[in-house]
């Protein structure tokens, strides 16, 4: 029997995101006057019930998943799913609390706008679609849903499948990397092109903006990773893997108020770390004897998470690159995506086996030093004891 924090939702899942709390707690369609009238017209019992329901809805966290069976007659629908995670009970909802079908188009990759304006999906076999939040879908379990938008994504219509999508942190730029190796960066929401590299890689597998939004890292199916200067729209540097393994995932992370680093995972199970000032590699750590299929970094920068083709999930401390937890066979299939919650307290993972999982993050205290001190004191005591015995015998 599966634990309550692991659920299967009937479709292979390829991407996910945490829904911002402000979207759940607010309903822009209800004006202050409407709310005031409702308060005056509702009896005390009704008000109490409404407040209880609101607290219930606001509690916990909501996630959106994208996936499906693709084209053809597999019988597996293509859809966007919204699910609820309850922190107190460490459990995911048994069924999606919201669902939007996408007909014959499979939502493969997804990027949620950081301000909560909506989300973009790379649809298989081609093109991208924008989806708006539907605040009119008020139910017992959720106060919003998703709806197809009429927004035209100029520059991403009728293009090859986009394998990577990312907004910058303030939501003013959108990056898209295609199966054909084309890397595009647009101003958002005007879709004015900033960067257009037709052969950035043989195929663009992953990309990520730096925390200050000045840089963009991209990597392909083979060859070096590339770092782009967004302000000049030019290539800044290329980064090669001396391990000779192909890169698989990349993430920037802020390590303190001034410095940030770049993590890149490879198919050999290693995570490589670069200084973003000198572009010198400062660390390389073998995490697992398997490829890394998914990588993410917590918002507070304390943890990295890796997923593998075997379904394992590993969390790593960024401070010393030591493994914090390993969950073997967390999923039965390849881990396709990972995402830390905004407060860095939970890690969501999804897989092609139709499963989603949320793992609560607990920071392990470093008791190694105190253990060595205790062992040293013990050995010292034993040595003193034997010295006393020898003195008595003499």
């Amino acid at each position: 029997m599966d634990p309550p924090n692991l659920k299967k939702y009937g479709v292979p899942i390829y991407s996910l995101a945490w829904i911002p709390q402000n979207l759940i707690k607010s309903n822009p369609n209800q004006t202050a006057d409407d709310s005031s009238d409702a308060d005056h017209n509702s009896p005390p019992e009704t008000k109490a019930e409404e407040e209880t329901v609101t607290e219930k809805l606001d509690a916990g966290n909501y996630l959106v998943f994208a996936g499906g069976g693709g084209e053809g007659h597999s019988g597996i629908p293509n859809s966007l799913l919204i699910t609820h995670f309850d922190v107190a009970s460490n459990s995911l909802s048994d069924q999606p609390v919201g669902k939007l079908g996408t007909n014959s188009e499979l939502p493969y990759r997804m990027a949620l706008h950081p301000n909560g304006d909506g989300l973009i999906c790379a649809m298989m076999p081609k093109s991208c679609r924008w989806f708006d939040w539907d605040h009119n879908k008020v139910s017992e379990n959720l106060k919003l849903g998703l709806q197809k938008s009429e927004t035209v994504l100029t520059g991403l219509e009728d293009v090859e499948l986009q394998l990577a999508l990312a907004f910058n942190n303030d939501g003013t730029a959108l990056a898209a990397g295609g199966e054909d190796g084309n890397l595009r960066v647009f101003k958002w929401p005007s879709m004015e092109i900033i960067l257009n590299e037709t052969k950035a890689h043989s195929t663009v597998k992953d990309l990520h903006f730096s925390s200050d939004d000045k840089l963009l890292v991209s990597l392909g199916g083979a060859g070096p990773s590339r770092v782009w200067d967004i302000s000049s729209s030019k290539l800044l540097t290329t980064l090669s893997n001396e391990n000779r393994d192909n890169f698989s995932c990349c993430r920037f992370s802020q390590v303190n108020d001034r410095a940030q680093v770049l993590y890149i995972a490879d198919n050999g199970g290693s995570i490589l770390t670069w200084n973003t000032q000198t572009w010198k590699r400062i660390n390389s750590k073998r995490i697992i004897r398997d490829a890394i299929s998914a990588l993410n970094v917590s918002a507070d920068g304390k943890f990295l998470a890796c997923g593998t083709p075997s379904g394992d999930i590993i969390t790593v401390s960024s401070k010393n690159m030591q493994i914090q937890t390993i969950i073997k066979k967390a999923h039965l299939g390849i881990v396709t995506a990972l995402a830390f919650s905004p407060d860095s307290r939970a890690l969501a993972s999804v897989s092609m086996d139709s499963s989603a999982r949320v793992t609560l993050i607990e920071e392990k205290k470093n008791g190694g030093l105190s253990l060595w001190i205790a062992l040293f004191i013990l050995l010292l005591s034993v040595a003193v004891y034997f010295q006393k015995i020898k003195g008595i015998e003499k």
Side-chain angles (χ1 to χ4, degrees):
M1 184 176 179
D2 292 332
N5 64 329
L6 173 67
K7 293 293 165 62
K8 289 195 173 183
Y9 293 112
V11 299
I13 306 173
Y14 297 98
S15 54
L16 79 155
W18 293 83
I19 299 176
Q21 285 282 350
N22 65 296
L23 285 175
I24 305 297
K25 293 181 179 179
S26 63
N27 187 343
N29 292 329
Q30 184 184 48
T31 64
D33 291 340
D34 292 338
S35 177
S36 177
D37 291 343
D39 289 342
H40 286 300
N41 295 331
S42 300
E45 296 82 0
T46 304
K47 288 182 186 178
E49 291 174 2
E50 288 174 351
E51 289 173 0
T52 302
V53 170
T54 301
E55 290 173 1
K56 179 181 177 182
L57 291 169
D58 290 346
N61 301 269
Y62 291 85
L63 302 101
V64 56
F65 303 139
E71 291 185 300
H73 304 284
S74 66
I76 301 174
N78 301 310
S79 55
L80 294 168
L81 308 175
I82 298 176
T83 61
H84 175 252
F85 175 69
D86 181 67
V87 178
S89 61
N90 188 23
S91 62
L92 276 164
S93 55
D94 292 332
Q95 299 295 327
V97 296
K99 183 176 182 179
L100 177 66
T102 57
N103 300 320
S104 63
E105 293 183 317
L106 166 64
Y108 181 64
R109 289 295 183 227
M110 174 176 62
L112 191 148
H113 193 273
N115 296 336
D117 294 342
L119 59 87
I120 182 174
C121 285
M123 312 300 287
M124 189 180 289
K126 59 182 180 180
S127 296
C128 292
R129 299 275 183 266
W130 180 257
F131 296 88
D132 291 317
W133 297 111
D134 184 1
H135 292 272
N136 293 317
K137 282 192 175 181
V138 181
S139 67
E140 182 182 353
N141 296 318
L142 185 65
K143 292 196 288 186
L144 87 164
L146 283 164
Q147 61 183 357
K148 296 177 183 178
S149 172
E150 298 300 323
T151 300
V152 177
L153 298 174
T154 306
L156 288 176
E157 288 192 314
D158 197 29
V159 294
E160 292 293 323
L161 175 65
Q162 302 300 292
L163 299 180
L165 294 169
F167 282 104
N168 66 353
N169 294 282
D170 67 4
T172 58
L174 168 68
E179 192 173 31
D180 58 359
N182 197 332
L183 172 65
R184 301 174 177 90
V185 181
F186 304 90
K187 288 185 179 179
W188 184 266
S190 68
M191 294 300 288
E192 177 186 343
I193 194 74
I194 300 174
L195 174 68
N196 188 8
E197 287 289 331
T198 56
K199 293 298 178 182
H201 303 276
S202 58
T203 181
V204 182
K205 292 178 61 178
D206 199 12
L207 44 80
H208 193 245
F209 283 97
S210 60
S211 56
D212 58 9
D213 293 337
K214 294 180 179 179
L215 306 175
L216 175 73
V217 60
S218 64
L219 55 82
S225 172
R226 291 185 165 89
V227 180
W228 309 85
D229 185 301
I230 298 301
S231 60
S232 65
S233 301
K234 293 182 179 180
L235 178 66
L236 181 63
T237 188
T238 60
L239 306 172
S240 299
N241 191 357
E242 296 176 3
N243 297 341
R244 297 184 179 180
D245 290 306
N246 290 335
F247 290 139
S248 57
C249 314
C250 53
R251 287 295 182 273
F252 282 104
S253 179
Q254 194 83 22
V255 292
N256 55 48
D257 292 340
R258 295 182 178 180
Q260 59 182 334
V261 296
L262 172 61
Y263 299 111
I264 300 182
D266 66 24
N267 289 330
S270 296
I271 296 179
L272 296 82
T273 310
W274 271 272
N275 182 307
T276 59
Q277 299 296 321
T278 63
W279 295 111
K280 291 183 179 180
R281 195 176 72 177
I282 55 179
N283 192 25
S284 177
K285 180 66 179 290
R286 182 79 173 270
I287 301 299
I288 193 169
R289 295 183 181 277
D290 197 354
I292 295 176
S293 58
L295 174 74
N296 216 315
V297 184
S298 61
D300 60 13
K302 291 183 178 181
F303 300 101
L304 294 86
C306 309
T308 73
S310 303
D312 301 338
I313 295 174
I314 306 97
T315 58
V316 179
S317 168
S318 64
K319 185 177 181 180
N320 52 21
M321 297 303 288
Q322 295 296 313
I323 292 175
Q324 295 286 295
T325 58
I326 297 180
I327 305 175
K328 287 286 188 181
K329 299 297 180 182
H331 301 271
L332 297 180
I334 181 174
V335 178
T336 50
L338 296 163
F340 281 95
S341 60
D343 62 6
S344 303
R345 294 173 56 196
L347 173 69
S349 56
V350 292
S351 170
M352 283 184 64
D353 71 354
S354 304
S355 67
R357 185 184 191 114
V358 177
T359 304
L360 295 178
I361 302 299
E362 295 182 3
E363 188 172 2
K364 287 186 177 180
K365 302 297 181 182
N366 187 7
L369 182 61
S370 59
L371 178 62
W372 281 109
I373 292 174
L375 183 60
F376 175 77
I377 293 173
L378 177 63
L379 292 174
L380 185 62
S381 300
V382 171
V384 171
Y385 172 79
F386 279 107
Q387 286 294 330
K388 287 183 177 180
I389 294 295
K390 288 182 179 178
I392 293 172
E393 292 177 350
K394 289 180 180 180

